[in-house]
Amino acid sequence: MAIVEVVKYDGSPDVYAWKYPNAELGTWTQLIVNNTQEALLFKGGQALDLFGPGRHTLSTLNIPILNQLVNIPFGGRSPFSAEVWFVNKQVSLDVKWGTASPIQLQDPKYNIVIPVRAFGQFGIAIEDSRRFLSKLVGTLPVFNQDTLSKHLRGMIMMNINELLSSYLVFKKVSLLEINAYIGEISKHVEERVGALMHPFGIRLINFFIDSISTPEDDASLKRLRDALARKAEMDIIGYNYQQERTFDTLEGAAKNEGSSQAGVMGAALGLSMGAGIGGIFGSQFGQLGEQLYGAAGAAQVCPSCQGRNDAQAKFCNSCGKGLAGSSAGGQAGAPRPIHNCDKCGMPHRENSKFCGNCGDAYNPCPSCGADCAEDAVNCSACGETLPRPCRGCGEQVAASAKFCPHCGTNNSSGSQQCPGCRHEVLAGQKFCPECGHGLAGRA
């Protein structure tokens, strides 16, 4: 044994606690503690004196607690049994953590279970050497960063799993969008894990989540990404899944040469690809639906969006527009002559409320039935004066009526409008003072 023994530790900075291997010490032993360290003496498993940075001589002058347990003659070199532990008080900011296996979480937006991995790092500092050695280190001769990560992995993973699940459930955030909330989640984990580390004498400096990812080879994730890519493509092109399935059905039937509807299918598919879904394709698709689903009237096709509707439907269940073959505006009467649309010139179908080609509302003349513009004063076909809106309720009133049949407002007294230029005229005037239009028969 050397006359004066020197006890110190100059090892790796990732070691948080190190036990001096020789337990037989003398009263003149020199204990050297570095600037970022603390030294603690143990006797019989009991933590005794704590030494800060500097050089210390183990004698009765500076080990008073040990002197009560072991009788050491003053100034003598009597050996005694004690353990010396060195604790690293330096702040460590590069403690790595990560999920050993993926966490199974359900995506609240798409309702599928996706495996999730999380990685990051955190920083710690040993605040209380006594609690750290007695509650966490125990009898281990060396306690380094790897050992600390193993001890804290369960604590960290439990809180990561809980907080990720709560964000998905309460904030309705998809797993594919969770990386936008990494900073907020990191703060919550830091508060939770920091409170759990405090009883062990450890202070959590910070906690970072570097990434939250999903395995690229997961089958459910692949299906989800394919579906999202397909939906984005349909949104860009301008059609939905139902229409895509309809196109697939038409294409499959058109390729079947033995089918009786192959010609009709091929014509409808060609019209849909070359001229869009509106116009003539609406009529062709309606005829096709009659062939596929039985007698005419078994189903209706909206002339605006081509959505399928029941035969009794008055309005389209996809776009809300009036259906051409429905009785939305009243019961269908006797067949009327076919008139052309005043906007596009295409003929109106029988009992239709709107043009099947352009969707313009059918505004019939009460005399001849010709389609007139909404702001027209006289019929372009027969010249008959068209009904005008009531000044009281706005309902259409016949040109010859002096009182509104809906609200009883007198439309002949007071000021009126010229049927030619809409200029305001007084009752009793025979000609418009603005354009000279004759006002006979309107007084």
Side-chain angles (χ1 to χ4, degrees):
M1 180 182 295
I3 297 177
V4 177
E5 188 173 2
V6 177
V7 178
K8 67 176 182 177
Y9 176 68
D10 296 323
S12 174
D14 65 343
V15 175
Y16 300 120
W18 179 78
K19 177 183 176 183
Y20 185 68
N22 188 9
E24 296 296 329
L25 304 175
T27 56
W28 290 349
T29 299
Q30 297 297 304
L31 176 64
I32 299 177
V33 183
N34 293 329
N35 188 40
T36 59
Q37 297 175 346
E38 277 186 347
L40 185 62
L41 267 66
F42 278 80
K43 176 65 177 178
Q46 182 181 359
L48 302 178
D49 295 277
L50 185 65
F51 299 90
R55 178 186 289 269
H56 307 275
T57 301
L58 299 184
S59 66
T60 55
L61 296 178
N62 56 14
I63 49 175
I65 301 178
L66 183 63
N67 187 40
Q68 297 175 7
L69 301 178
V70 179
N71 185 15
I72 303 176
F74 180 77
R77 188 182 179 279
S78 299
F80 59 92
S81 177
E83 298 176 355
V84 180
W85 280 88
F86 288 89
V87 178
N88 186 0
K89 303 280 288 185
Q90 184 180 4
V91 176
S92 180
L93 299 175
D94 59 345
V95 183
K96 301 293 191 301
W97 66 269
T99 53
S101 58
I103 305 172
Q104 301 295 326
L105 297 176
Q106 184 177 14
D107 192 295
K109 189 173 182 179
Y110 304 106
N111 295 323
I112 64 173
V113 177
I114 301 179
V116 178
R117 293 183 180 272
F119 302 92
Q121 65 181 26
F122 59 91
I124 64 166
I126 308 301
E127 266 192 335
D128 193 325
S129 300
R130 293 178 184 271
R131 281 190 294 176
F132 177 68
L133 291 173
S134 60
K135 292 188 176 182
L136 195 61
V137 178
T139 60
L140 295 174
V142 178
F143 194 91
N144 56 17
Q145 190 175 107
D146 292 338
T147 309
L148 178 70
S149 299
K150 292 178 182 178
H151 278 66
L152 301 180
R153 179 179 292 119
M155 182 193 308
I156 294 174
M157 289 302 100
M158 176 189 67
N159 287 276
I160 287 288
N161 193 355
E162 179 184 352
L163 289 173
L164 283 179
S165 301
S166 64
Y167 263 78
L168 297 178
V169 173
F170 295 109
K171 293 200 172 185
K172 305 298 181 182
V173 177
S174 172
L175 282 169
L176 301 180
E177 305 167 351
I178 196 66
N179 281 302
Y181 299 85
I182 281 183
E184 189 175 348
I185 298 175
S186 299
K187 290 295 182 182
H188 285 284
V189 177
E190 180 178 343
E191 295 175 1
R192 186 82 62 85
V193 176
L196 297 176
M197 287 185 178
H198 183 71
F200 299 100
I202 302 175
R203 177 167 57 97
L204 184 65
I205 305 298
N206 49 46
F207 190 94
F208 297 116
I209 299 177
D210 293 338
S211 66
I212 300 175
S213 58
T214 54
E216 295 294 334
D217 56 348
D218 183 68
S220 59
L221 183 62
K222 285 183 177 179
R223 291 195 299 269
L224 176 58
R225 287 179 174 173
D226 292 342
L228 291 176
R230 190 175 179 183
K231 182 180 182 300
E233 181 182 357
M234 288 190 293
D235 291 341
I236 294 173
I237 298 176
Y239 64 94
N240 55 32
Y241 180 77
Q242 181 182 5
Q243 292 170 339
E244 183 187 31
R245 295 296 299 164
T246 302
F247 295 153
D248 293 341
T249 303
L250 291 172
E251 184 177 8
K255 292 180 179 179
N256 186 6
E257 297 180 356
S259 174
S260 60
Q261 283 82 23
V264 179
M265 293 279 192
L269 182 60
L271 289 170
S272 66
M273 296 178 62
I277 309 176
I280 304 176
F281 175 59
S283 174
Q284 295 289 340
F285 192 81
Q287 298 175 7
L288 173 63
E290 295 177 358
Q291 296 184 31
L292 291 177
Y293 293 93
Q300 296 186 75
V301 178
C302 176
S304 179
C305 68
Q306 275 63 58
R308 293 192 58 79
N309 300 273
D310 295 336
Q312 296 79 16
K314 298 181 179 181
F315 299 91
C316 178
N317 56 18
S318 298
C319 65
K321 293 186 178 181
L323 297 176
S326 69
S327 56
Q331 297 296 328
R336 67 164 185 257
I338 301 299
H339 297 281
N340 295 334
C341 173
D342 71 295
K343 188 173 183 179
C344 66
M346 296 297 293
H348 284 287
R349 296 183 62 184
E350 184 177 354
N351 297 327
S352 63
K353 301 290 184 179
F354 298 89
C355 176
N357 183 53
C358 66
D360 184 54
Y362 174 53
N363 186 26
C365 172
S367 177
C368 66
D371 188 13
C372 303
E374 293 184 2
D375 57 350
V377 178
N378 300 93
C379 175
S380 59
C382 66
E384 180 71 17
T385 304
L386 299 176
R388 64 184 186 275
C390 172
R391 289 187 298 167
C393 62
E395 293 289 340
Q396 295 292 326
V397 181
S400 59
K402 294 185 178 181
F403 296 90
C404 176
H406 302 281
C407 65
T409 301
N410 186 354
N411 288 275
S412 62
S413 62
S415 61
Q416 302 181 35
Q417 287 184 342
C418 171
C421 65
R422 296 297 181 181
H423 183 74
E424 189 169 334
V425 296
L426 298 177
Q429 290 182 335
K430 298 183 177 181
F431 298 93
C432 174
E434 183 71 19
C435 64
H437 192 278
L439 303 178
R442 302 184 63 87

